[in-house]
Amino acid sequence: MESLYENCRQCPRNCGINRTSSVGFCKEPSQIRIAVACLHFGEEPLITVHGGSGTIFLTGCNLRCAFCQNYQISQQGMGAAVSKEEFAEICLKLEEAGAENINLVTGSHHIPALAEGLAEAKKRGLTLPVCWNSSGYDSVESLKLLEGLVTIWLPDLKTLSSELSNSLCAAADYPEKAKEAVKWMIEHNPLKLTQVSKEIDGKTVVKDKILQGVIVRHLFLPGRFFETADVLEWLKQNADGKAIISLMSQYTPVPFKDSEENLLKRKKSLSVIENRLVSQSEDTDLRDLIEAYDFDYLFYQDLCADTEWLPDFEKKQPFSYKLAKPIWHWKFGWC
C-alpha cells in the first residue's frame, strides 16, 4: 500500500504530499511510528474490562489541537519507526500480557500501513478485537481499508462549531468530516456486547465487554456549555440506541514545553475557551443535561481535580502505574 502515500489523501487534509520521501501535515512519513504500547486501565469500562486495553500510541496527528495532552507524540514527534512485522509482534505481546483488545490511538494518518500491520498480526495468531481510537477527523474512504480488521470504533466528536475547530484544531471542516465518519462507523458496526467474569479476592466479578460497535467520545471544554449541548443533541438524533456515548469532563490545562513562539501561538488558540479545570457548577449542569436527554447508554466521567495523571512520554512509564502497565517504549524497547 506504499503507493497510497505518494500523493497522500489518507485523511481529510488531502495534503497531497509524497510521504514516501517527505512528511505530510501530520509530520509523519509513510512508515508507522509508535511512542508507547501498554495495558491501559483508564479507558471506558467496556474497553478496559478486567485485563486493560492493549493501547498503542501512534506518533503524529492530522489535527493541531491546542489542548492536546499527548502533544509530545502528536505534535513533537516522539516515537520510533516499526516494520509491519515489529508492529505485529507488539500486538501479540499485548495479547500475551492479558489485553482485552488492541487499541490504536490517533492513527488516521497511518491507515494503509496499519491495515498491513493488523493483517500480519492476525496472520500470526492475533485473536483480540481491534479498537480504532481516533479524533474523528477521518476519511471514510480510508476507513474502508480497516473493514474486517477493526470491529470497535472509539471516535471523538469534539465540536460541531467550525469556528471553534478552526481555532483549536486548525481544521474548520472538522464538524462535517467527523459527522460523516461517525455516521459511517455506526452504520457498518452494530453493537455487540458480552459479559466476562473473573475471580477477584474470592468473588466472581462480572463486567460488560464490547466486541463490536461504536463508542462516541465528547470532551467538555470549560466555558463552552452550549457547544456540548449541540453535540449531545446531534448524538441523540443520530447515535442514541445505535452507539454508546462517553461524555468526558477531564479537560486539564497542560504545562506545555515548547519554544516561546509556539507557546504564544498555542495561548492564542486556547483563548477561545477558558483554559482551566471543569468547575463543580459545570459538572452539575452537565449531569442535568444528560439526564434530560436520557441516552440509552452513556458513560459520564466523574469530576477530578487531580492533574498528576497527565502523561510524559519521555518516561518509560508515561502514566501512573494505576493507569497503565508499559509493554514497549520508543526509547527503551520492551519493558
Side-chain angles (χ1 to χ4, degrees):
M1 296 189 183
E2 188 81 353
S3 62
L4 294 176
Y5 291 102
E6 291 176 357
N7 179 23
C8 192
R9 309 287 178 190
Q10 293 310 303
C11 82
R13 293 284 175 192
N14 289 317
C15 66
I17 300 295
N18 183 351
R19 288 173 58 195
T20 65
S21 58
S22 186
V23 298
F25 180 92
C26 57
K27 297 186 179 180
E28 290 300 301
S30 58
Q31 191 173 21
I32 295 173
R33 293 202 308 135
I34 295 174
V36 170
C38 63
L39 295 179
H40 201 294
F41 300 93
E43 305 283 42
E44 284 78 0
L46 290 172
I47 300 289
T48 58
V49 199
H50 295 293
S53 183
T55 308
I56 300 176
F57 289 88
L58 295 144
T59 303
C61 186
N62 61 352
L63 291 181
R64 290 281 185 275
C65 295
F67 52 86
C68 182
Q69 294 154 0
N70 297 342
Y71 76 100
Q72 293 169 306
I73 59 175
S74 64
Q75 298 171 20
Q76 294 186 340
M78 287 186 186
V82 297
S83 66
K84 71 176 182 181
E85 292 79 14
E86 290 169 324
F87 173 83
E89 184 66 18
I90 289 171
C91 291
L92 293 169
K93 289 290 186 184
L94 287 166
E95 180 165 16
E96 185 181 310
E100 302 282 355
N101 45 65
I102 300 299
N103 185 345
L104 304 177
V105 180
T106 317
S108 305
H109 52 297
H110 275 313
I111 289 178
L114 287 171
E116 288 188 335
L118 288 172
E120 177 69 17
K122 288 179 180 289
K123 178 182 174 183
R124 292 172 57 181
L126 181 72
T127 63
L128 296 178
V130 176
C131 173
W132 185 250
N133 185 339
S134 82
S135 69
Y137 196 50
D138 289 315
S139 161
V140 170
E141 287 305 308
S142 292
L143 291 178
K144 291 177 181 178
L145 296 175
L146 299 172
E147 288 188 286
L149 298 168
V150 171
T151 59
I152 303 168
W153 304 81
L154 189 60
D156 290 342
L157 187 56
K158 296 178 184 294
T159 179
L160 298 184
S161 165
S162 295
E163 180 182 358
L164 195 61
S165 65
N166 189 48
S167 297
L168 287 175
C169 310
D173 64 343
Y174 174 86
E176 172 193 351
K177 299 300 181 182
K179 286 190 292 184
E180 287 177 4
V182 170
K183 282 182 175 180
W184 180 87
M185 293 174 190
I186 292 173
E187 181 181 347
H188 290 81
N189 298 274
L191 282 169
K192 291 182 182 178
L193 306 181
T194 189
Q195 288 189 323
V196 289
S197 60
K198 183 178 181 180
E199 291 294 320
I200 300 176
D201 297 329
K203 295 182 179 179
T204 301
V205 178
V206 180
K207 292 186 177 182
D208 288 339
K209 177 178 180 177
I210 185 169
L211 299 176
Q212 177 182 291
V214 182
I215 301 175
V216 186
R217 284 174 167 171
H218 173 69
L219 175 67
F220 172 72
L221 301 173
R224 307 294 298 220
F225 180 82
F226 290 107
E227 269 75 23
T228 287
D230 287 343
V231 169
L232 291 181
E233 175 65 30
W234 188 88
L235 290 172
K236 184 66 180 178
Q237 297 300 320
N238 294 278
D240 192 27
K242 296 177 285 187
I244 293 163
I245 313 303
S246 179
L247 180 58
M248 302 183 294
S249 60
Q250 68 183 32
Y251 183 92
T252 305
V254 179
F256 297 102
K257 296 178 182 178
D258 209 335
S259 68
E260 185 174 347
E261 179 184 1
N262 286 340
L263 289 173
L264 286 172
K265 287 180 181 177
R266 196 179 293 276
K267 184 177 181 180
K268 182 179 179 181
S269 295
L270 287 170
S271 66
V272 299
I273 62 173
E274 297 175 21
N275 189 30
R276 55 168 174 77
L277 294 171
V278 176
S279 70
Q280 186 62 60
S281 63
E282 286 172 324
D283 176 70
T284 300
D285 289 342
L286 288 172
R287 290 177 184 276
D288 289 343
L289 185 64
I290 58 180
E291 183 177 350
Y293 274 116
D294 189 28
F295 281 95
D296 185 56
Y297 205 146
L298 179 143
F299 290 110
Y300 181 63
Q301 195 172 45
D302 288 335
L303 196 62
C304 177
D306 182 9
T307 63
E308 306 239 339
W309 58 269
L310 286 171
D312 182 353
F313 291 94
E314 283 278 10
K315 297 178 180 178
K316 190 174 184 178
Q317 168 56 292
F319 306 92
S320 72
Y321 280 95
K322 181 181 178 181
L323 276 180
K325 177 184 177 182
I327 301 295
W328 184 94
H329 189 278
W330 71 280
K331 282 174 68 175
F332 304 103
W334 297 108
C335 300

